[in-house]
Each structure stands twice: as structure tokens, then as C-alpha cells.
Amino acid sequence: MNSLHGNFNRVLDLCAGDGEITVKLSKISVVVYALDNDPVRVNRIDNLVKINNIDNVKINCCSATNLPYKSNTFDLIVCNSALEHIKDYKKVISEIHRVLNPGGVLILTVPNSEIQFGKRFNKFWTFILNLPIQIKKGICRNLELVQKNDILLVQKYYDIFFKHEISFTEEKLISDLKDSFEINKVLYYMNYIGALGHDATYYFKWGKQKILLYLNLLVCYAEYFLFKNSKGKGILMICLCRK
């Protein structure tokens, strides 16, 4: 197994979102490929890469169900909180297996369907979404919430972001991966306080986001050690590609 603390030749940040993980991966890889199917987010990745003067990132805008890469290309693939939004997620798993080198590492995270905090806050989010745009600009950090003054467009974003096509448990994920991957490690992350702190930091203006995220990370670690047997908001799985 390649050391996750070492260097990789080629890394894929699959469904890269706004690019924060891409930036971190650029420090451990010769080349990082960042892929997302949303042109808005691809543009944000490009801007973030330029701001940080990173020259080893290549960006693609396309679907994760049909990756534009040759077989056996990558040493490491990171897919963070994406499979739950993709109805044909097994095709994505098949594509990940195809483009990973034998023995390559897959780091995969999905929400834990046994702890769905979002369902508990539907009324709260509906209230936030219906606030006047100027109030939302004052309290909301998330760009989709503060830049659109059409409630229908914001509601569409809300539906896409919080709607999960697939519900995952540890058992289901292992079942879907076991034929193509060796499961190396399964962890749960973001227990109760950590999960609430994570969402509050990302969506609302409480201060410097980076500091708050680091503080929240400390809370997550503390909860992990205090409640090792409890299941968190997310499932993290580290797998080795089996050919």
C-alpha cells in the first residue's frame, strides 16, 4: 500500500466541489486532476488554484460516470461526499476501479444514512431560504444562498444539495465495493457536536472560517476519542484497488 503520508504521481479529486481538497492534494502529488460536472464549481477550482499559485493541477468539467482518463492512470482517488447525489453511483465505482492503478488507494466519504441531521433541520432551512436577500447576505456564508435573489433558484440549490439519491450505511458501502476493492479501513467522522459545528461554519458568518474549521476539527477529534463506538454523520472508507 502506498503511504498516505508520501508522494503520489497522479491523484484524482473526483467531484472536487470548490477545490479545497484539490489544493491540499497538490502538496502530495506530482499532478492532481480535479473533476466536477458543475461549471460554476469548476471555475471556483480554477480561481482557487490561481490564487494559491499552484501549477500542478489539471481541471476537467464532466460527469463522474464517464471519466476522460485512460485505465490504470491514478495512484490515489479522493471522492468526498458525492456518491450519495448520483443515481448511477455503481457506474462511478466502476470508473474509479478502471482508472486506478492496481493497489491504488481510494478514499471515499458518504453521509451516514443512520444519522441524517439534514432531515431534522428542514423547517430551519426553509426559514433561512425565505429570508430577504439582504438579511441572507448579512448572515450566510454560502455563495448560492447569498447571491441569488430568486427564491426558486435558491430552493433548487437546496433540493439538489440536501437531496440524496442514495442512502449509504457501512454495510451497503462494503457490499458495493468488495468485488473490486480491498477494504483497508472504515471510520465514522463528525459526531453530534462536530456535525453541527461543521454545518454552522460552512453556511453562516461567525468569524474567520479557517479558524472555526480548525476548532471544529479539534471537536471532531475529541468526540472521536470520547465516543469511539458511536456512529458519526459521515462514513470514511479507505480501499485498495484490486484488479
Side-chain angles (χ1 to χ4, degrees):
M1 175 179 176
N2 291 319
S3 171
L4 294 181
H5 299 288
N7 292 321
F8 298 86
N9 288 324
R10 292 186 180 89
V11 171
L12 173 61
D13 187 3
L14 184 60
C15 304
D18 290 344
E20 293 94 344
I21 292 176
T22 302
V23 171
K24 291 179 172 60
L25 290 174
S26 70
K27 299 176 182 178
I28 64 167
S29 175
V30 176
V31 183
V32 178
Y33 293 77
L35 181 146
D36 203 280
N37 71 339
D38 184 348
V40 173
R41 295 190 180 277
V42 166
N43 186 59
R44 290 180 190 168
I45 298 170
D46 185 54
N47 289 334
L48 191 61
V49 166
K50 290 176 180 176
I51 290 171
N52 286 276
N53 296 313
I54 298 171
D55 60 4
N56 66 334
V57 171
K58 298 184 179 181
I59 304 170
N60 288 97
C61 184
C62 67
S63 171
T65 59
N66 188 18
L67 298 178
Y69 312 113
K70 294 180 179 179
S71 299
N72 304 329
T73 295
F74 298 103
D75 304 308
L76 168 67
I77 294 178
V78 176
C79 184
N80 179 48
S81 297
L83 285 189
E84 67 274 11
H85 297 293
I86 303 172
K87 193 170 185 179
D88 193 10
Y89 76 97
K90 289 186 178 180
K91 176 63 174 171
V92 179
I93 293 174
S94 176
E95 281 289 271
I96 290 172
H97 180 257
R98 179 182 67 81
V99 301
L100 259 179
N101 287 323
V105 181
L106 167 64
I107 300 178
L108 178 67
T109 73
V110 294
N112 175 14
S113 65
E114 296 180 357
I115 301 180
Q116 283 293 355
F117 286 90
K119 292 179 181 178
R120 305 181 187 182
F121 298 127
N122 279 348
K123 290 183 179 179
F124 170 75
W125 282 109
T126 300
F127 170 75
I128 294 295
L129 291 169
N130 283 282
L131 289 173
I133 187 68
Q134 290 303 321
I135 294 179
K136 284 191 289 189
K137 284 184 177 180
I139 66 173
C140 294
R141 188 188 302 275
N142 183 269
L143 293 176
E144 278 80 5
L145 296 181
V146 302
Q147 290 184 346
K148 296 174 181 176
N149 56 9
D150 186 331
I151 187 63
L152 295 178
L153 291 177
V154 178
Q155 186 69 47
K156 182 180 179 181
Y157 163 77
Y158 167 75
D159 289 340
I160 292 172
F161 190 84
F162 286 98
K163 180 182 179 182
H164 294 165
E165 296 284 350
I166 307 297
S167 296
F168 286 102
T169 62
E170 177 183 337
E171 293 74 22
K172 175 174 175 52
L173 204 53
I174 290 175
S175 176
D176 289 332
L177 293 169
K178 65 182 181 181
D179 291 337
S180 301
F181 295 90
E182 174 188 338
I183 311 301
N184 183 265
K185 186 176 290 187
V186 180
L187 297 170
Y188 287 90
Y189 62 94
M190 285 197 298
N191 292 79
Y192 303 101
I193 298 174
L196 292 173
H198 170 272
D199 292 351
T201 300
Y202 266 105
Y203 286 100
F204 299 100
K205 296 178 180 178
W206 305 100
K208 288 188 177 295
Q209 187 182 39
K210 194 169 185 178
I211 294 174
L212 291 171
L213 286 173
Y214 277 120
L215 288 174
N216 194 70
L217 185 62
L218 290 175
V219 171
C220 289
Y221 276 122
E223 282 193 311
Y224 173 74
F225 285 109
L226 289 171
F227 309 106
K228 284 187 177 181
N229 296 322
S230 66
K231 294 184 176 181
K233 180 182 178 183
I235 304 168
L236 184 148
M237 197 165 287
I238 301 175
C239 311
L240 303 180
C241 182
R242 187 165 50 216
K243 295 288 187 178

